[in-house]
Amino acid sequence: MSHIAIDARIISSTTGRYVERLLHYLEKIDTTNTYTILVKKKDQQYYTPTNKNFSVVVADYKNYSFNEQIGFLRLLNRLNADLVHFCQPEQPVLYRGKKVTTIHDLTLLKTYNPDKNWLVYHFKQLVGKFVFKRVIATSEYIITPTDFTKKEILERFAVSSDKIIRTYLAAEMKSTAQEPFELPSRRFILCVGQQSEYKNIKRLAAAHQQLLSTHPDLLLVLVGKIDGPAQKNQRLFELKRYKHIIFTGFVSDQQLNWFFSHTSAYIFPSLMEGFGLPGLEAMQQSAPVVSSNATCLPEVYGDAAVYFNPLDVDDIASTIDTVLSNKSVADTLVANGSKQLKKYSWQRTAQQTHDIYLRALNK
């Protein structure tokens, strides 16, 4: 019997659905090994184990902080686990124990967030590059959610292809739906998630304004926490006098289901992604998906989406219009989405991850 620790400090973030579903199915798969799940203090009640072999320990350490490098390292050394799964590359670089690391994408290394202090952000990028390089060198295995991310890592870092294992994610939303509030129009396109620059919300909004000439009642609904980047977009859109754009703020899973199941099209305008889970969640609720053709998205969505150039506002608008104006195109996308979903399974993800744990432990 082995002791496995899982760094789940991101469990309540957008990427945290990966961690939560992984834990849910690992509990069903492994009743032998002992698991310690590490979460931030605010998330102590977020995840409650049902398998007696799983327990929760608080690890309240901020990413890329001195405390993460020293305090978290001390905690890990006290735990003395046979294997640690870091569900993100942010980790103590001096940790010497066996570990596997999930790298979702290389966004930190490829983008600049103008909402952050320039000097601080670029220093963080320098630290990030060192951490990524160190993590890749010292992990037994690297887990990525797509072949695209695996390819990017191989191109940027000196690492054997055999060390990087792709485990796809999946969509598994609850079936219940609840209307969050009454919209000024029942016809809308939808985008879910944060609004950092690389998410490309500004170009999506500009494309939406073009669509109003032929679809005057069409809303653009932006679901997600109204943080700094979202507030910045709100101010910009007001300044430009954009019409019919709704910022919902945080919504529950049931409310999100309602948006997915009632939207005329789900739009994914991102310039870069590690997987693109919301598009699959939209497919699960029978929404046609219109997506950027950037990075991993065509790999994940296949023929269950129509694609646009995310840097071309006219192309974004015309591609969305193709779906809005042609029911047969929308119906084909919904049918293809149902088939595409069958390629993905959280249980398979957990089983593959468990197999990686066993391989790492036996190295």
Side-chain angles (χ1 to χ4, degrees), residues 8-9 27 38 103 119 123 140 143 164 195-196 217 248 250 261 280 294 299 308 332 357:
R9 289 176 296 154
E27 286 194 43
L38 306 169
I103 297 180
L119 187 62
F123 177 73
E140 303 297 327
I143 300 171
I164 307 175
Q195 297 187 31
S196 298
D217 62 337
T248 69
F250 173 80
S261 60
L280 290 187
E299 174 189 344
F308 53 74
T332 298
Y357 292 167

Side-chain angles (χ1 to χ4, degrees), residues 25 145-147 166-172 275-277 279-281 283-284 296-304 307 336-349 352:
Y25 283 101
T146 56
D147 289 325
R166 183 263 292 147
T167 64
Y168 281 136
L169 311 188
E172 193 174 88
F275 187 78
L277 188 55
L280 290 187
E281 293 174 338
M283 291 176 198
Q284 190 180 32
C296 68
L297 297 173
E299 174 189 344
V300 175
Y301 299 153
D303 64 358
Y307 299 96
N336 289 349
S338 181
K339 295 175 185 175
Q340 189 72 4
L341 287 169
K342 294 175 183 177
K343 297 181 180 181
Y344 307 109
S345 159
W346 280 122
Q347 182 160 353
R348 189 182 311 127
T349 302
Q352 290 171 333

